[in-house]
Amino acid sequence: MVRKSLFLAAFTLFMLTLAVSTVHAQSARQVLLEEFSTAQCGFCPDGDIIAAQIVKDHPSVIWVTHHAGFGVDSMTAPGSATVASAFVNFAPSGVIDRTLFPLHVAPYANLGTIRSKWDSLVTARLGDEQFCDIRITSTYYAEVGQIDCTLEVEFSRIPSPGDFRLNLFVIEDSIVGMGKGYDQVNYFNGTPGHPYSGAGNPIIGYAHHNVVSAIPTGAWGVSGVIPATPETGTVYRWNWSSGLHHILDRNNFGLYDLISFVAFVSYHHEDPLQRRVVHAGQARITNVVLGTGEEMMLPRQLTLSAWPNPTHDRITIEAALLPSDAGMLLVTDAAGREMCRMSIHGGNPRQTLDTERFSGGMYFCRVITPRGVAGGTFLVLK
């Protein structure tokens, strides 16, 4: 009897351990927040601040930005305008898992919601059932500028049958450009206490965040990969290979940390308001192969990038320097007060700064070398 009891206890412990292991094998429930924003939208900088705070508070939220919804601009990816026209009619507008919420929650005739609602709607979706896991692997061949990306979807539960589509976004962070299609209109320039107060209107050199720079699957995804009634335990796979010509900020070439992929499974329906996301996943470039032509990665001009942007406690600043370059990195606040000064050179072009002591707001960074000066901006959220 004692031996039988011990066996049952050991078996029960084994099954509990197996159950825990099975649960942990699946990634956490992730929610897709699609922000619709354009450079000519004066309220859109505030949308970025709110979205960044949501990601900080809810790490399982995936935030992407379509540059459409209030017209288009120089960063509008093919397909983003199509998605925007089906889902929203204002900016900054947020669509959460492409879900149509009740009118008393989101009183609009489409999927777009105002930024003050994003957090509560994201929280509601995080509590929903998870049906599948998405795995993203990728290799970047730097010498030829090619990306190979593989998506794998595996269901642990069977959702309601339907026309399932597999979607892939190429995301580029911290895009800085020059001119009307990049300079960010800012209605908060004269608003005391706002993080973008005093940043200018428009903001020259604004860093646009988590931009959808390409949609390889087309606006509404690839059909035929996942059957109408998927099976549990079966891996559904899709591959994509392309030259990485989607980079919108030419200074971002070679900065692999700024490129990521977002994949998601969604229903397709003749009614655009019934194209709900089942699950989403995000991953950066998995593997980088430099090949033998490292010299091809050397910069032709002096450039500067900073990420993550916005940041809360740490910022990485990298200057695209030649091996022989040496100079100074200078960080100032919006009022021109010096916050940091340090040496920088081609052998160590990347510096990480602790911004915990910085107040919330806009900061300017410059690298100064005999070859020239390059600058950028970043935002600290508190």
Side-chain angles (χ1 to χ4, degrees), residues 2-121:
V2 173
R3 180 177 298 175
K4 183 178 180 180
S5 298
L6 289 173
F7 171 78
L8 289 174
F11 180 75
T12 302
L13 179 62
F14 169 76
M15 292 303 293
L16 286 173
T17 303
L18 181 61
V20 171
S21 299
T22 302
V23 170
H24 284 293
Q26 187 170 2
S27 64
R29 174 77 171 91
Q30 293 185 291
V31 169
L32 179 64
L33 167 58
E34 293 175 89
E35 180 187 5
F36 293 82
S37 171
T38 51
Q40 62 267 26
C41 167
F43 293 108
C44 285
D46 198 54
D48 276 11
I49 292 172
I50 291 173
Q53 186 65 47
I54 289 174
V55 171
K56 180 185 178 184
D57 296 339
H58 308 285
S60 292
V61 173
I62 299 171
W63 163 35
V64 304
T65 305
H66 293 280
H67 272 256
F70 185 68
V72 295
D73 60 26
S74 297
M75 293 161 283
T76 305
S80 282
T82 301
V83 174
S85 65
F87 289 162
V88 304
N89 56 12
F90 65 94
S93 181
V95 172
I96 291 85
D97 269 352
R98 299 187 173 179
T99 299
L100 181 63
F101 293 94
L103 284 177
H104 71 277
V105 176
Y108 303 96
N110 51 30
L111 301 186
T113 58
I114 59 176
R115 56 193 185 277
S116 62
K117 296 278 189 179
W118 296 353
D119 186 81
S120 60
L121 297 180

Side-chain angles (χ1 to χ4, degrees), residues 130-282:
Q130 179 175 343
F131 293 97
C132 64
D133 192 26
I134 297 177
R135 296 182 289 271
I136 307 171
T137 56
S138 58
T139 300
Y140 175 51
Y141 299 93
E143 190 171 10
V144 293
Q146 178 176 312
I147 280 282
D148 290 345
C149 185
T150 299
L151 309 182
E152 293 183 337
V153 180
E154 184 173 358
F155 286 81
S156 56
R157 296 178 179 84
I158 304 301
S160 300
D163 180 1
F164 291 104
R165 300 292 178 93
L166 189 58
N167 303 263
L168 177 65
F169 292 162
V170 179
I171 306 299
E172 182 181 351
D173 194 24
S174 300
I175 294 177
V176 178
M178 296 181 62
K180 186 176 180 180
Y182 295 93
D183 297 341
Q184 182 63 55
V185 176
N186 174 29
Y187 291 162
F188 304 97
N189 185 51
T191 304
H194 193 277
Y196 283 112
S197 177
N201 184 21
I203 303 173
I204 309 300
Y206 183 85
H208 297 272
H209 316 301
N210 301 325
V211 176
V212 178
S213 64
I215 308 179
T217 51
W220 303 119
V222 173
S223 62
V225 178
I226 302 171
T229 304
E231 298 179 354
T232 59
T234 298
V235 177
Y236 301 101
R237 185 177 290 106
W238 185 78
N239 299 298
W240 172 67
S241 292
S242 174
L244 195 61
H245 52 267
H246 314 287
I247 304 302
L248 298 173
D249 184 345
R250 310 305 292 183
N251 298 335
N252 289 345
F253 275 106
L255 300 179
Y256 316 115
D257 291 342
L258 299 179
I259 308 300
S260 64
F261 303 97
V262 169
F264 59 97
V265 176
S266 63
Y267 286 100
H268 191 71
H269 193 277
E270 61 181 9
D271 180 2
L273 304 186
Q274 302 298 323
R275 296 175 182 176
R276 177 170 51 86
V277 172
V278 177
H279 189 58
Q282 182 172 25

